[in-house]
Amino acid sequence: MKLDEIITADEKMKLARLIFNNTFNQLANEVPQIPRPVAKPMAKPIATKVKPRAPKRAPMAPPPKPLPKAKPIPKTPTQVKHQQHKHQHDFAQAVKKTFDKDNVKMPKSLQPLSRNIISPIGGVDAEFNKNLELAKKDYELQNRDNDSKPWFPE
């Protein structure tokens, strides 16, 4: 019988199952039945003292030779100029910080007043008032039409 004569997959499976079953049954019959020995319980082993051994160290390679020191790269003129400027700036900041600390320690009565503070006694400086009036008049003269009224009443 050829496999091509069997058309369906079910018939092919039945044939394969029949072949496997027959083959394994024949092999099982041919193997002689040998009685297996029964395992005997083992006696307790005799305790022996085990000496701990230090693990052997792996051979080490010698340390590598140190690398030669790098030669310093000469600085460009721009870098030198920048470094000098930075040094001057840092020095100026240190001086400013020192003066700021001294101002904080100085009593408020001795510290200089800022220039934009209006005097608490007597209002604004007289010279300031004169300059303000002159500026108002100049503005009116430059921007006045024939029929216009002054911007600032007197």
Side-chain angles (χ1 to χ4, degrees):
M1 177 186 279
K2 294 183 180 178
L3 286 177
D4 296 335
E5 295 174 5
I6 302 171
I7 298 173
T8 63
D10 289 337
E11 291 176 351
K12 288 181 183 178
M13 286 297 291
K14 287 179 185 176
L15 178 63
R17 198 174 291 144
L18 179 68
I19 293 171
F20 289 142
N21 287 340
N22 288 338
T23 306
F24 286 115
N25 286 337
Q26 286 178 358
L27 288 174
N29 292 336
E30 290 178 7
V31 175
Q33 297 294 333
I34 301 172
R36 292 187 180 175
V38 178
K40 296 178 183 177
M42 290 181 56
K44 290 184 180 179
I46 300 171
T48 58
K49 292 185 179 179
V50 178
K51 294 180 182 177
R53 294 183 185 175
K56 291 185 179 180
R57 296 184 77 186
M60 308 259 309
K65 294 179 182 177
L67 296 174
K69 293 192 176 187
K71 296 177 183 176
I73 300 173
K75 294 183 179 179
T76 63
T78 308
Q79 289 174 331
V80 171
K81 185 177 178 182
H82 178 69
Q83 186 178 12
Q84 288 173 350
H85 179 69
K86 184 179 179 194
H87 177 69
Q88 290 171 352
H89 180 71
D90 291 344
F91 180 73
Q93 291 294 329
V95 169
K96 183 178 178 186
K97 217 181 258 186
T98 305
F99 281 123
D100 289 344
K101 286 180 185 177
D102 290 345
N103 279 343
V104 171
K105 291 178 186 176
M106 192 182 314
K108 289 200 176 208
S109 61
L110 297 177
Q111 288 183 2
L113 295 174
S114 62
R115 300 206 181 259
N116 60 356
I117 293 179
I118 298 172
S119 173
I121 307 169
V124 182
D125 187 21
E127 210 172 288
F128 177 76
N129 281 337
K130 286 181 187 176
N131 290 339
L132 184 62
E133 289 298 323
L134 284 174
K136 286 180 186 178
K137 287 181 183 177
D138 286 343
Y139 180 79
E140 286 179 7
L141 288 175
Q142 290 175 358
N143 297 319
R144 180 182 288 186
D145 291 337
N146 293 336
D147 297 331
S148 67
K149 295 182 180 178
W151 282 79
F152 302 104
E154 294 186 26

